[in-house]
């Protein structure tokens, strides 16, 4: 496959079936577009954005670098896609309702504009272009509307796709992302805030006739939050470790476990 021929009005010669799943190329109207590997800042940001958006209570599926083929001559892979991410091999037909592109220094702006146009033309309703270089900002693209700029301190909305507004900072900063993700995971389990979980822990303790003080009830609520978060993230907790968490009454230790549970990939990472 030729390397990034100059685009013109002519239809390119390549089709989606010419591009294998491990290829580093996308297609725009038959023209190949090389996708270079992401740098550290870019790659880390992709994971951060996917964590926040994929955990939203209204989201059933999200993906990173998922390839979409709305036509036989166009193949596009947003950094993060929300919606229309089937759990099966092969390129996905259509387009995601929400796409996120992280842009760092050295970005070819013409190629970026072509990608945005291709996705909007394929049916994507919201495209968030997150600028990592220079002042932090997010460009919001929607079909038939002028581009709007959002900055830290503001919130991004995607009605019909996301339930919760997304703090702009959560697409850049890991701590802000973890906070937003934790809120989302609580809501997926029917809680509005951590205080709701703590209150339930206190209520359950009283119902069982336990003489728990304020600190005791808060510890029970934190323990429940740790177990809830691990369950929401699909991390199994054997009975011995579950009992260790449930019986712990060290508030500082429970809070440390809670933070680790937000990002750990394995249960062992919680206790180290």
């Amino acid at each position: 496959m030729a390397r990034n021929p100059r685009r013109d009005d002519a239809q390119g010669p390549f089709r989606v079936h010419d591009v294998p799943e491990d290829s580093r190329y996308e297609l725009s109207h038959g023209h190949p577009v090389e996708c270079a590997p992401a740098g550290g800042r870019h790659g880390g940001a992709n994971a951060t954005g996917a964590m926040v958006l994929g955990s939203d209570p209204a989201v059933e599926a999200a993906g990173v670098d998922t390839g979409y083929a709305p036509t036989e001559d166009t193949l596009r892979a947003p950094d993060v896609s929300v919606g229309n991410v089937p759990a099966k091999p092969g390129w996905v037909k259509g387009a995601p309702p929400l796409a996120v592109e992280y842009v760092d220094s050295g970005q070819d702006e013409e190629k970026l504009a072509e990608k945005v146009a291709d996705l909007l033309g394929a049916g994507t309703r919201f495209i968030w272009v997150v600028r990592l270089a220079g002042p932090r900002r997010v460009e919001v693209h929607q079909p038939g509307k002028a581009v709007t700029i959002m900055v830290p301190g503001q919130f991004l909305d995607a009605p019909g796709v996301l339930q919760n507004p997304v703090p702009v900072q959560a697409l850049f900063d890991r701590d802000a992302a973890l906070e937003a993700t934790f809120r989302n995971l609580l809501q997926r389990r029917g809680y509005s805030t951590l205080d709701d979980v703590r209150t339930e822990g206190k209520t359950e303790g009283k119902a069982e006739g336990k003489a728990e003080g304020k600190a005791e009830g808060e510890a029970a609520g934190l323990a429940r939050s740790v177990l809830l978060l691990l369950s929401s993230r699909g991390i199994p907790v054997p009975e011995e470790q579950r009992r260790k968490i449930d019986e712990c009454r060290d508030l500082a230790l429970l809070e440390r476990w809670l933070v680790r549970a937000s990002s750990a990939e394995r249960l062992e990472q919680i206790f180290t």
Side-chain angles (χ1 to χ4, degrees):
M1 183 176 288
R3 297 175 64 86
N4 293 337
R6 181 178 178 177
R7 284 288 308 274
D8 53 32
D9 292 335
Q11 189 80 0
F14 297 102
R15 298 294 179 265
V16 171
H17 60 73
D18 296 319
V19 186
E21 281 196 53
D22 59 352
S23 174
R24 286 173 53 185
Y25 287 88
E26 296 178 4
L27 289 180
S28 181
H29 304 284
H31 296 273
V33 182
E34 186 177 14
C35 302
R41 179 167 65 175
H42 191 161
N46 288 357
T48 296
M51 175 175 63
V52 174
L53 300 177
S55 63
D56 184 271
V59 173
E60 296 183 0
V64 175
D65 294 332
T66 303
Y68 291 87
T71 63
E72 65 176 10
D73 62 358
T74 297
L75 175 65
R76 287 301 194 178
D79 287 333
V80 180
S81 303
V82 178
N84 191 22
V85 187
K88 58 184 180 181
W91 306 127
V92 182
K93 293 183 178 180
L98 168 62
V100 179
E101 279 292 305
Y102 280 92
V103 177
D104 213 331
S105 55
Q107 172 69 44
D108 186 316
E109 294 295 329
E110 182 179 352
K111 290 180 183 176
L112 175 63
E114 289 176 352
K115 186 168 188 176
V116 169
D118 285 344
L119 287 168
L120 290 177
T124 297
R125 296 168 51 196
F126 305 94
I127 300 178
W128 296 347
V129 176
V130 184
R131 297 283 180 174
L132 299 174
R136 289 183 170 182
R137 63 203 187 279
V138 178
E139 299 167 358
V140 179
H141 299 257
Q142 294 179 256
K145 295 184 178 182
V147 177
T148 58
I149 307 297
M150 307 294 284
V151 297
Q154 296 181 305
F155 292 82
L156 296 155
D157 292 299
V161 182
L162 300 177
Q163 174 177 305
N164 293 323
V166 179
V168 169
Q169 192 67 12
L171 296 180
F172 294 91
D173 182 78
R174 182 172 175 80
D175 288 339
L178 288 172
E179 183 177 343
T181 299
F182 184 46
R183 172 205 62 191
N184 289 340
L185 292 173
L186 285 174
Q187 291 180 2
R188 292 182 81 100
R189 290 292 181 169
Y191 300 96
S192 297
T193 65
L194 179 58
D195 286 339
D196 290 345
V197 184
R198 290 169 172 165
T199 298
E200 182 172 306
K202 294 176 184 179
T203 302
E204 288 183 351
K206 291 178 180 178
E208 293 169 2
K210 296 181 180 179
E212 293 183 334
K214 181 178 179 181
E216 185 81 4
E218 185 172 357
L222 280 171
R224 183 180 180 87
S225 298
V226 174
L227 294 170
L228 172 68
L229 186 53
L230 291 171
S231 175
S232 298
R233 300 189 63 236
I235 299 177
V237 183
E239 182 59 32
E240 181 178 352
Q241 283 78 9
R242 179 176 294 274
R243 188 165 53 250
K244 176 179 179 179
I245 295 171
D246 198 43
E247 294 177 355
C248 180
R249 291 299 177 264
D250 184 329
L251 294 180
L253 181 58
L254 284 165
E255 289 177 351
R256 188 157 60 247
W257 288 348
L258 185 61
V259 171
R260 291 175 179 173
S262 299
S263 58
E265 297 180 357
R266 303 183 308 277
L267 183 63
E268 311 86 78
Q269 297 172 327
I270 306 295
F271 304 112
T272 55

